[in-house]
Amino acid sequence: FDRMGTTDIMAAQVDYIKPFNDALKLSIGAKYSSADLDNNFQSFDETDNGTFVKNLQQSNQFLFQEDIYAGYGKLDWRCKKWAGTAGLRYEDSRSTGRSVQIDTILTRNINQLFPSFSLSRELPKGLKLTGSYSYRIDRPRYSSLNPFRYYLDPFTFTAGNPTLRPSFTHSSKLSLSFQNQPFFNVEYKDTKDALVTVIEQNDEAGTTNQIRTN
């Protein structure tokens, strides 16, 4: 077999912090990242006369390109025994995955706001109570999107899933700390399209495979 691949990832980020006084601070920033991947796996079978013929069933070239534009703003403040943060992040991402061998193209665009905030109160005897909320995105690994099968043996393989979607999570947390050390936490998360690893079995073919899915 012949496994050729190139990976080009570029990222640029700029941040600006403006402290108005000891109790108020503003942070803003922007980030751009670009990923361009070419995974070309070619498999060959040896014939009786010693020549090698390409195995189309076990060969594939997967091309993936993604651009992410993001900007954020965050405000930190403090007033006596109270303190808090409020932030907002915007993301515009565009990705395209193409499987050359099976001639399929999948595109995915995301335009989303991601808010976050926290509020804390100092209590007697070194205690502090904090409540927080955030909305986050978790992207699948690039390797998980490649639909090619990687055989460990004739009956066991792992496979990528080009239809994987990013997961989005609402996270709320209430914590109690003692002298700034975690003491008690209660957390609740609500995730849409969670990324999980699944083991599948094909009884007719006698094969077992592992795949990531939503």
Side-chain angles (χ1 to χ4, degrees), residues 27-200:
S27 304
I28 58 175
K31 182 177 181 180
Y32 168 75
S33 64
S34 175
D36 193 351
L37 292 81
D38 183 352
N39 189 339
N40 192 2
F41 189 99
Q42 305 298 321
S43 178
F44 299 87
D45 295 329
E46 186 176 6
T47 63
D48 294 337
N49 60 9
T51 61
F52 289 88
V53 178
K54 185 177 179 180
N55 187 328
L56 298 179
Q57 300 299 319
Q58 296 184 7
S59 302
N60 187 39
Q61 183 178 13
F62 182 69
L63 306 173
F64 183 82
Q65 202 277 329
E66 182 179 56
D67 292 299
I68 301 175
Y69 305 85
Y72 80 92
K74 181 183 177 184
L75 188 67
D76 296 87
W77 61 272
R78 179 179 298 276
C79 181
K80 297 181 180 180
K81 294 185 178 182
W82 292 89
T85 64
L88 186 63
R89 179 177 180 271
Y90 173 74
E91 177 180 307
D92 179 359
S93 64
R94 307 165 190 177
S95 61
T96 302
R98 181 190 176 200
S99 183
V100 177
Q101 192 67 33
I102 57 179
D103 193 24
T104 60
I105 296 177
L106 292 174
T107 61
R108 181 170 295 114
N109 298 329
I110 298 174
N111 297 278
Q112 186 69 52
L113 289 170
F114 298 94
S116 64
F117 64 84
S118 68
L119 181 65
S120 63
R121 162 76 177 183
E122 294 182 4
L123 302 175
K125 299 181 179 180
L127 296 173
K128 183 168 69 173
L129 184 66
T130 303
S132 62
Y133 164 82
S134 65
Y135 186 39
R136 304 292 185 188
I137 182 174
D138 182 20
R139 293 182 180 79
R141 294 180 179 178
Y142 295 135
S143 58
S144 299
L145 298 170
N146 190 339
F148 184 76
R149 294 182 176 183
Y150 298 89
Y151 282 87
L152 304 178
D153 57 56
F155 304 102
T156 309
F157 64 89
T158 62
N161 182 2
T163 65
L164 271 178
R165 301 179 300 275
S167 64
F168 296 86
T169 301
H170 295 276
S171 178
S172 302
K173 185 177 181 180
L174 184 66
S175 61
L176 184 66
S177 61
F178 175 69
Q179 294 182 350
N180 293 323
Q181 297 299 317
F183 179 70
F184 177 78
N185 293 319
V186 176
E187 188 170 4
Y188 174 77
K189 292 184 177 182
D190 181 15
T191 301
K192 177 183 178 182
D193 294 330
L195 299 169
V196 295
T197 300
V198 176
I199 304 297
E200 300 176 332

